[in-house]
Structure formats: C-alpha cells, structure tokens
Amino acid sequence: MSHTPLHTALSEVLALLRGVHWNAWVTHWKSAGTEAYSDHLLFQRLYEGSGGGPDIANQIDGLGERMIALFGQGGVDAVAVQERSATLLQGVLELPPIERALKLEALLLLELTRAVHLCEKTDLALDNFLRTVADERSTVVYLLQQRRKTDTGSGYG
C-alpha cells in the first residue's frame, strides 16, 4: 500500500495514542512519593477513561477502524505502530512523570492538528473524529497541568 501523507499522520496519531495509554498505565503502577495516591488515581483515570476522563481505548479503537475503512486491511501495521510507540516512549523516559505525560500529549496534539489539516476538506467524519479526540486530549493536558502546579518534586517513573 502506498503511504499517503494522511495515512502517515494517522499512523503517528495511533502510535502516540498507544504510547500515551501505556505511559499512563505504567505511571499508575509506579506512583510514589508524597503525591502517590493522587497520581495513582489520576493516571488510572487517564488510561481507563474513568471518572470523566476521555476513553483512550475508544479513541485508539475508533482511529484504527477508520484507518482500515480508509486504507484497507493494510491500513494499520501493528508492528510498525508498536515500534513507533516504543520509540516515542524511549524519547521521554528521562522526564519526570507529569512532564513525560505532558510531552506525549503535546506531540499527540501536534500530530492531530497535522492530520486534521490533511483531511478537513476530504473526509468530514474523520475530521470531526480527530477534532473530538484533540478536544478530549486537551482535557488531559488541563488535568496534568493542574497536577504540575502541586508538584513537590516527588521522584518516581
């Protein structure tokens, strides 16, 4: 299959969503320090989509299904997505947990913006889906920024 700019952007969004999900889950497990309990709950909310948080599993699923609909069975390469996700995670591992999550969300929002610009005049349903995901991810950024304001330098990762 030929990789169009839209396919490339959507694959990057999918890899970032997978990375954000895995990072939140692992950070949930590793919460430590003075904010351990609140961070444990915050990151659980982020990876489960519970407590009013966006449902990242549905975002991943919805994007994957749309990519298959647009590009056929080859529209999602599981190995390529996982490898890219791992590379993205490796690039932020040295950051403290809140900063790591914010960095991943910033990369995701940037790539969502790129994907929206690539599809906004050709596929209204995909455009709406991506804008909704971006809006929901901005809620996560808000939650993480609020948590950053209370950061006491607790060390975990």
Side-chain angles (χ1 to χ4, degrees), residues 91-151:
V92 297
L93 280 179
E94 298 303 316
L95 296 173
I98 300 299
E99 298 308 314
R100 183 172 57 238
L102 281 166
K103 177 66 174 180
L104 289 169
E105 293 290 347
L107 292 170
L108 177 55
L109 287 170
L110 184 65
E111 202 58 40
L112 280 162
T113 300
R114 188 166 84 96
V116 163
H117 288 298
L118 290 168
C119 77
E120 67 186 344
K121 294 184 178 166
T122 60
D123 190 327
L124 182 60
L126 179 59
D127 178 77
N128 286 339
F129 173 79
L130 294 172
R131 288 174 187 269
T132 298
V133 171
D135 183 56
E136 291 173 351
R137 300 318 307 167
S138 68
T139 298
V140 172
V141 170
Y142 169 78
L143 292 170
L144 291 166
Q145 287 173 338
Q146 292 303 308
R147 169 56 184 89
R148 180 199 280 165
K149 292 177 182 176
T150 66
D151 195 359

Side-chain angles (χ1 to χ4, degrees), residues 38-49:
S38 64
D39 285 355
H40 184 79
L41 295 177
L42 171 63
F43 283 97
Q44 182 175 4
R45 178 179 178 183
L46 298 183
Y47 81 80
E48 282 185 349

Side-chain angles (χ1 to χ4, degrees), residues 16-83:
L16 279 158
L17 283 167
R18 298 287 305 208
V20 164
H21 185 248
W22 188 243
N23 179 67
W25 207 341
V26 172
T27 304
H28 158 80
W29 294 333
K30 291 183 171 187
S31 295
T34 58
E35 300 292 332
Y37 184 69
S38 64
D39 285 355
H40 184 79
L41 295 177
L42 171 63
F43 283 97
Q44 182 175 4
R45 178 179 178 183
L46 298 183
Y47 81 80
E48 282 185 349
S50 60
D55 189 339
I56 194 166
N58 279 340
Q59 293 172 341
I60 292 167
D61 186 58
L63 179 57
E65 288 173 351
R66 284 166 175 80
M67 291 174 69
I68 297 298
L70 281 171
F71 304 110
Q73 292 297 312
V76 175
D77 181 335
V79 173
V81 168
Q82 286 304 103
E83 286 175 349

